[in-house]
Amino acid sequence: MFPSKFRICDAFGIPVYLDMSLIILLVLFVMDFGSFSFGLACALALAVSITLHELGHALTARAFGYQTRDITLSLLGGCASLIGMPRKASQEFLTALAGPLVSFLLAGVGWAAARFLPIENAWLWGVLAYVFWMNLILGAFNLLPGFPMDGGRIFRSVARIFTTRAKATYAAMIVGRGFAILLALRGLHAIFTRSGWGFISLLIAWMIWKEGWREYVQAVQEERWGSPWEFSARVSPPPYDDGDDDEVEVRKR
């Protein structure tokens, strides 16, 4: 059977996979920019930026004792599959925040390189400018409260100060679903007005809607079984399918 993803490298001992759906994103980039070489360069810059963003999450989680199974790059961005989420609210807060901080750092690097280096090549300057804007948008978008996106996880970690993990997850899921509805409406508007990227917005909205509920179910199961159990969520890379990979694995500690 033809593989759906390919292992392209290892970063800090973490396998990095390229999902075949990313080819669609590459085609969209080439079509948007009108130049194959410039579109390809920007697509590669995006892939590297997303990988570093996910590494920010993975390495921060590792500092708290949680390992990452792999990182997958796909049409919807990146997915770092952690083997167990950080248990303390402060750990979850820092792990979720690490990704956007890496994106903002890359945006700063792109801006500084385009601003201060003596670059006379307009093509290279354009790629650096794109690195700046793309990482700025990537970092800001991930801070929006679309649980289980980074901003949603930050929201849950703060809510856990006042209530249980399950109730905080429910609140984050409800807020995230509200955001998903707005994102879906934006996607439909983009499709009807032919302004581009509407289909991607719909896919992200669907992922937020579905995965928020899955994580809420996991939090309830964890609360019900208590400390003698260890929980590990097995999540397939985006776009998430309806197979066994969406089930919650529970095993005796």
Side-chain angles (χ1 to χ4, degrees), residues 156-196:
R156 180 174 71 170
S157 68
V158 174
R160 285 175 60 190
I161 299 174
F162 308 100
T163 186
T164 65
R165 180 180 175 87
K167 291 181 179 179
T169 303
Y170 181 77
M173 181 195 70
I174 294 300
V175 173
R177 285 193 162 186
F179 174 74
I181 291 173
L182 295 177
L183 188 61
L185 292 174
R186 185 268 173 196
L188 290 174
H189 178 267
I191 290 174
F192 287 122
T193 58
R194 299 182 179 180
S195 57

Side-chain angles (χ1 to χ4, degrees), residues 34 47 118 135 154 235:
N135 278 284
I154 291 173
V235 185

Side-chain angles (χ1 to χ4, degrees), residues 50-61:
I50 293 175
T51 301
L52 294 175
H53 177 107
E54 297 301 327
L55 277 173
H57 294 309
L59 296 181
T60 304

Side-chain angles (χ1 to χ4, degrees), residues 130-143:
Y130 175 77
V131 167
F132 164 68
W133 284 111
M134 176 261 299
N135 278 284
L136 191 65
I137 294 172
L138 180 64
F141 180 77
N142 274 275
L143 286 177

Side-chain angles (χ1 to χ4, degrees), residues 211-224:
E211 287 303 299
W213 171 256
R214 186 192 63 80
E215 292 222 12
Y216 170 63
V217 171
Q218 179 183 347
V220 171
Q221 290 176 335
E222 176 181 340
E223 189 174 84
R224 183 177 302 163

Side-chain angles (χ1 to χ4, degrees), residues 53 57 95-97 99-100 142-144 146 148-155:
H53 177 107
H57 294 309
T95 300
L97 185 61
N142 274 275
L143 286 177
L144 295 174
M149 287 170 49
D150 300 338
R153 294 193 182 280
I154 291 173
F155 177 89

Side-chain angles (χ1 to χ4, degrees), residues 10-252:
D10 282 29
F12 296 94
I14 302 171
V16 179
Y17 290 90
L18 176 67
D19 189 90
M20 290 299 295
S21 64
L22 194 66
I23 295 177
I24 300 175
L25 187 63
L26 174 60
V27 173
L28 291 174
F29 266 76
V30 173
M31 293 174 60
D32 270 0
F33 288 107
S35 167
F36 179 81
S37 60
F38 186 73
L40 180 61
C42 290
L44 291 176
L46 176 62
V48 172
S49 297
I50 293 175
T51 301
L52 294 175
H53 177 107
E54 297 301 327
L55 277 173
H57 294 309
L59 296 181
T60 304
R62 178 184 292 180
F64 296 128
Y66 298 91
Q67 300 302 313
T68 301
R69 183 180 62 198
D70 57 50
I71 292 174
T72 301
L73 310 179
S74 73
L75 175 64
L76 297 185
C79 175
S81 299
L82 301 182
I83 304 175
M85 290 298 297
R87 310 313 304 156
K88 296 181 180 179
S90 59
Q91 294 176 349
E92 181 178 30
F93 178 89
L94 293 174
T95 300
L97 185 61
L101 287 180
V102 170
S103 295
F104 291 138
L105 177 61
L106 293 174
V109 171
W111 177 84
R115 176 68 176 81
F116 296 109
L117 292 181
I119 300 174
E120 298 180 359
N121 188 299
W123 184 91
L124 180 57
W125 188 92
V127 172
L128 291 174
Y130 175 77
V131 167
F132 164 68
W133 284 111
M134 176 261 299
N135 278 284
L136 191 65
I137 294 172
L138 180 64
F141 180 77
N142 274 275
L143 286 177
L144 295 174
F147 185 79
M149 287 170 49
D150 300 338
R153 294 193 182 280
I154 291 173
F155 177 89
R156 180 174 71 170
S157 68
V158 174
R160 285 175 60 190
I161 299 174
F162 308 100
T163 186
T164 65
R165 180 180 175 87
K167 291 181 179 179
T169 303
Y170 181 77
M173 181 195 70
I174 294 300
V175 173
R177 285 193 162 186
F179 174 74
I181 291 173
L182 295 177
L183 188 61
L185 292 174
R186 185 268 173 196
L188 290 174
H189 178 267
I191 290 174
F192 287 122
T193 58
R194 299 182 179 180
S195 57
W197 301 96
F199 181 64
I200 303 297
S201 296
L202 289 177
L203 285 177
I204 295 175
W206 171 62
M207 182 272 292
I208 292 172
W209 188 278
K210 180 181 179 183
E211 287 303 299
W213 171 256
R214 186 192 63 80
E215 292 222 12
Y216 170 63
V217 171
Q218 179 183 347
V220 171
Q221 290 176 335
E222 176 181 340
E223 189 174 84
R224 183 177 302 163
W225 277 306
S227 58
W229 299 88
E230 177 182 339
F231 296 83
S232 175
R234 297 181 296 157
V235 185
S236 59
Y240 300 96
D241 58 35
D242 294 323
D244 294 337
D245 283 343
D246 289 330
E247 297 178 354
V248 176
E249 176 189 352
V250 185
R251 60 184 183 275
K252 193 75 173 178

